[in-house]
Amino acid sequence: MVSIRWLANVTLALALATPCAHGAAEVPLADFARHQQYDDVQISPDGEHLAAISIVDDTRMLSLIRLSDMKGFNVKPRDGGEVVEFWWVSPTRVFYSIAERTGALVQPTHMGELYAVNVDGSGKRAMAGYRADGEWSFADMVRPAQVIDGRVLIARYRWNGSTDGSHPSAMRMDIASGAEKEVAVAPIRNAAFVADNDGEVRFAYADGTDHKRRVYHRLKAGSEWQLVFDESKGDALMRPLAFTRDNRVAWFECPGSHGVGGLCRWDVETRKLATLWSGKEAELDGLVRSFDRKDIVALRSMPGRSAVTLVDKEAPESKLLVGLMQQFPGEDVQITSSTIDGKKVVFLVSSGRDPGTYYLFDADSRKASLLLARRPWIDPARMGVVEPITLAARDGLALHGYLTMPPGKQEAKGLPMVVYVHGGPYGVRDYWEFDPYAQMLASRGYAVLQVNFRGSGGYGDAFMKAGFHEWGAKMQDDVTDATRWAIAQGTADPKRICIFGGSYGGYAALQGVVREPDLYRCAIGYVGVYDLNLMYSRGDIPQSMYGDNYLKMVLGEDQAVLRARSPAANVDRIKAPVMLIVGGQDKRVPPVQGQTLRAALGKAGIEHEWLYQRTEGHGFYDEKNAEDMFAKMVAFLERSTGSVAP
């Protein structure tokens, strides 16, 4: 294997778009609030058409485009519906899933229904779900989509009245008629399936209600399931990903030799496991498949910026990827789809300041041409530069994160700064990618600091579990240590620092001004948790055994400790002004969390602002609501820090 970041040995001619003219006017907040225009652009197996998710009339639709003249049409779901995901199942047919608005919630909810349509608009029909067959189940594609003899594998998760899920069935569905045949039933609830290159379901895996991973394998169709990895019995955390071309070896995501994360080969016959790649700083972040989808040629990780490791450096896919990376130095290049023969390849180029553009590479002409920009109204040159950072926490634990500087101020010192804390928190991380929240703040003159504190994903299972029972404690210390690091670097003016975050990040923002009342000048809590004991009784998490056990695992059950770490119970320590942003339809963190803190702040006479949107959920979805939120945030930050946007 050859590990690479930005090297190449192939020269390509590129037909690039003319960059936007740079203007001095401030980038409108509406530009950051807008939904991405294009997403998930894929070429058909024969290279004649493109499919993409696009925003038309404020709705996510499926766009089908003929490559010869770039003309086509949009597939609009039912009123109130939006397209979630799609898959080519033949050169002329596409499956797609939808979400629909329910009740007062403005953000659509995934319904678990599958639909299909031909590239000429014919053959549109419901394929799976209650509108198709009257069955109350959640249907999903077994990934990657494999079509064999005109049939594709889907998974059905039947609603059985249990809040802890059911044992799903793998079904082989005719892509034209929708006729189905059950080919496997998972031996564990809520399992995901993995099929081999012949389309036979070979693995089923899931985390149980005890939050321990179990992986089952069967030798062939009809064979009995056998438990091959059981985390509850001391086995390592394993996840099956794919098979080698001959189906004799399975690829697994595994801990690797450093315990951070790796890629392993599992011999199907001998059941011996061998580590192929081990991450030193970050775990596996994705696979690069061969053009015919039957093997793996490279893998991706993101210790700071994106990194690529070649599994097969002689593969044509690897050589093409290396060549494309040379043509776009300093950018993240991802092959997103291709024809089966590799003659045409769609790839995405993006970075921390660039939302991304899809290109089409033609192997015959050796040229790449621009297809679609994800956010065409964004000029990357006017966005803030995003740099990876590393620092040591007070106990020596290595932390990674990102620092976004205001446009044109990469070397500036003594800037006002916003510490922007991600949600989750477990298994979630910040990436080197375009973040509209961070860029919005940077456009108004703020340095933006993001840190992947312990508990975050991407750095190994041990790093994530180091955050268990550490809400408001070591996890918060990591955020504080990162803030003090930015001060020590001279980047941040210590008298003009605010803290902001959503969900868990909202909790961390308020806990920040509780624990460090002299460090932050203000806090913005966005759909945040403020009373930890309430998490056991309100919201959707405690409504199942799985969710209840999750809370016990990550929070602990000592009510006194949870109260001591709850911002709502400690408002007497807060000196800084507070802004609370709440969605009235939030099921994950219900409005009572924000209302509880608001009441406590009011009783204590602490200055605070309240932004409540009745139709929003766990994060604002409507563009006008998001723009209004951004405007109120910017005004609040300016008042609190005494800063004025450039």
Side-chain angles (χ1 to χ4, degrees):
M1 294 189 301
V2 177
S3 182
I4 60 176
R5 287 185 185 265
W6 303 115
L7 59 89
N9 55 15
V10 178
T11 301
L12 305 176
L14 294 177
L16 301 179
T18 302
C20 301
H22 299 169
E26 191 173 71
V27 178
L29 292 175
D31 284 2
F32 299 106
R34 291 177 66 180
H35 297 302
Q36 198 160 271
Q37 182 66 48
Y38 296 104
D39 196 11
D40 195 20
V41 179
Q42 294 184 29
I43 195 167
S44 61
D46 63 358
E48 297 295 322
H49 293 83
L50 291 174
I53 293 176
S54 59
I55 300 294
V56 181
D57 297 330
D58 298 323
T59 300
R60 281 171 60 96
M61 298 186 186
L62 174 64
S63 296
L64 297 172
I65 305 165
R66 189 169 51 242
L67 264 175
S68 60
D69 57 9
M70 293 302 287
K71 294 182 179 180
F73 67 97
N74 298 314
V75 179
K76 183 179 180 180
R78 292 163 52 93
D79 289 344
E82 296 196 346
V83 173
V84 177
E85 194 173 1
F86 69 86
W87 306 266
W88 284 103
V89 295
S90 83
T92 58
R93 193 159 175 80
V94 179
F95 272 37
Y96 60 97
S97 59
I98 67 165
E100 291 189 350
R101 291 181 174 85
T102 57
L105 181 63
V106 69
Q107 182 172 1
T109 301
H110 196 340
M111 305 304 292
E113 294 183 282
L114 294 177
Y115 289 76
V117 66
N118 294 330
V119 293
D120 61 1
S122 65
K124 182 179 178 181
R125 57 167 293 171
M127 303 298 289
Y130 67 91
R131 289 193 184 94
D133 47 38
E135 182 176 40
W136 290 93
S137 66
F138 188 101
D140 199 9
M141 190 71 67
V142 175
R143 295 167 179 79
Q146 294 186 68
V147 182
I148 296 176
D149 297 329
R151 292 173 173 80
V152 69
L153 279 173
I154 69 166
R156 278 193 181 268
Y157 300 82
R158 293 178 175 86
W159 299 336
N160 61 1
S162 170
T163 56
D164 290 303
S166 62
H167 294 74
S169 297
M171 314 293 293
R172 202 175 301 282
M173 173 182 281
D174 186 285
I175 64 173
S177 69
E180 297 179 40
K181 178 183 179 181
E182 186 176 79
V183 295
V185 177
I188 186 171
R189 294 175 186 265
N190 307 316
F193 294 109
V194 177
D196 63 20
N197 289 313
D198 294 328
E200 298 293 346
V201 176
R202 301 285 295 280
F203 287 107
Y205 69 95
D207 294 349
T209 56
D210 59 356
H211 293 268
K212 301 295 183 182
R213 176 77 49 81
R214 293 166 179 84
V215 180
Y216 289 83
H217 171 258
R218 63 181 192 173
L219 287 172
K220 59 182 179 180
S223 298
E224 293 294 320
W225 289 108
Q226 295 184 339
L227 182 61
V228 292
F229 294 103
D230 186 348
E231 193 183 2
S232 71
K233 303 297 185 184
D235 290 339
L237 180 63
M238 305 289 291
R239 181 166 70 100
L241 302 171
F243 282 82
T244 54
R245 185 172 298 277
D246 59 9
N247 293 327
R248 297 175 64 181
V249 171
W251 297 104
F252 271 80
E253 184 176 7
C254 60
S257 58
H258 306 296
V260 174
L263 181 67
C264 288
R265 295 167 55 95
W266 187 74
D267 189 289
V268 172
E269 182 177 352
T270 66
R271 295 193 175 185
K272 290 184 177 180
L273 192 71
T275 300
L276 181 71
W277 172 85
S278 294
K280 294 182 179 180
E281 296 178 277
E283 62 191 34
L284 182 70
D285 191 48
L287 301 174
V288 181
R289 295 179 181 269
S290 58
F291 294 140
D292 64 3
R293 292 49 151 179
K294 293 184 180 295
D295 219 336
I296 292 170
V297 300
L299 60 90
R300 292 170 51 84
S301 61
M302 191 171 284
R305 290 181 174 83
S306 57
V308 173
T309 300
L310 301 181
V311 175
D312 181 358
K313 64 180 180 180
E314 298 302 322
E317 299 87 349
S318 297
K319 293 180 179 180
L320 173 61
L321 180 58
V322 169
L324 295 174
M325 292 167 71
Q326 184 183 41
Q327 297 301 313
F328 295 93
E331 302 277 309
D332 183 15
V333 180
Q334 301 179 57
I335 294 176
T336 61
S337 66
S338 71
T339 56
I340 295 297
D341 60 9
K343 292 288 188 179
K344 293 180 180 179
V345 178
V346 174
F347 63 97
L348 174 67
V349 179
S350 63
S351 72
R353 67 194 305 197
D354 181 356
T357 299
Y358 289 97
Y359 293 84
L360 176 65
F361 172 74
D362 186 290
D364 291 332
S365 66
R366 304 294 292 172
K367 290 184 179 180
S369 55
L370 185 148
L371 287 175
L372 301 166
R374 294 206 286 192
R375 297 176 188 259
W377 55 88
I378 293 291
D379 179 2
R382 299 185 65 192
M383 298 295 107
V385 172
V386 183
E387 291 292 343
I389 62 169
T390 57
L391 63 132
R394 63 189 66 183
D395 61 0
L397 184 66
L399 302 176
H400 300 262
Y402 299 93
L403 182 64
T404 303
M405 298 294 281
K409 295 186 177 182
Q410 290 91 311
E411 306 299 327
K413 300 293 183 181
L415 292 169
M417 186 175 79
V418 175
V419 180
Y420 172 27
V421 187
H422 71 69
Y426 301 103
V428 178
R429 60 162 289 182
D430 288 316
Y431 289 87
W432 188 69
E433 63 184 5
F434 182 87
D435 186 315
Y437 286 81
Q439 291 293 348
M440 180 275 293
L441 293 167
S443 76
R444 267 51 188 175
Y446 297 93
V448 182
L449 176 67
Q450 297 168 272
V451 62
N452 287 317
F453 46 84
R454 71 192 70 200
S456 301
Y459 302 95
D461 192 51
F463 185 86
M464 184 189 73
K465 290 179 177 176
F468 287 2
H469 292 204
E470 295 295 343
W471 282 53
K474 290 181 180 179
M475 293 167 74
Q476 196 70 40
D477 289 342
D478 291 346
V479 176
T480 301
D481 292 347
T483 305
R484 297 195 186 283
W485 172 88
I487 294 172
Q489 296 295 309
T491 301
D493 179 346
K495 296 181 179 180
R496 294 189 294 165
I497 301 175
C498 286
I499 184 169
F500 156 67
S503 193
Y504 170 83
Y507 166 84
L510 270 295
Q511 188 68 356
V513 292
V514 166
R515 288 196 55 187
E516 306 291 342
D518 297 317
L519 183 60
Y520 302 108
R521 290 296 175 265
C522 72
I524 302 175
Y526 177 33
V527 296
V529 173
Y530 310 115
D531 184 328
L532 297 185
N533 281 305
L534 268 180
M535 291 187 72
Y536 276 97
S537 59
R538 304 297 291 270
D540 60 359
I541 296 177
Q543 303 308 311
S544 66
M545 184 184 300
Y546 181 90
D548 191 61
N549 287 341
Y550 172 81
L551 293 175
K552 293 175 182 177
M553 178 177 70
V554 301
L555 288 180
E557 300 179 76
D558 190 320
Q559 293 187 11
V561 171
L562 296 180
R563 178 176 174 79
R565 295 180 181 180
S566 295
N570 296 281
V571 295
D572 58 307
R573 302 180 189 176
I574 297 176
K575 297 180 181 179
V578 169
M579 181 179 187
L580 299 178
I581 304 170
V582 174
Q585 303 300 313
D586 195 340
K587 306 302 182 188
R588 176 54 47 90
V589 180
V592 66
Q593 287 280 357
Q595 292 162 349
T596 298
L597 178 56
R598 184 190 189 193
L601 292 170
K603 185 176 181 180
I606 296 172
E607 178 186 353
H608 65 280
E609 294 192 22
W610 176 256
L611 176 56
Y612 177 89
Q613 286 288 358
R614 181 185 64 84
T615 60
E616 293 289 359
H618 198 54
F620 284 17
Y621 184 79
D622 180 81
E623 292 180 357
K624 290 296 183 183
N625 288 344
E627 181 184 358
D628 176 67
M629 176 182 69
F630 287 164
K632 288 180 168 60
M633 285 174 58
V634 169
F636 175 75
L637 289 167
E638 289 178 358
R639 288 194 301 272
S640 300
T641 64
S643 303
V644 178

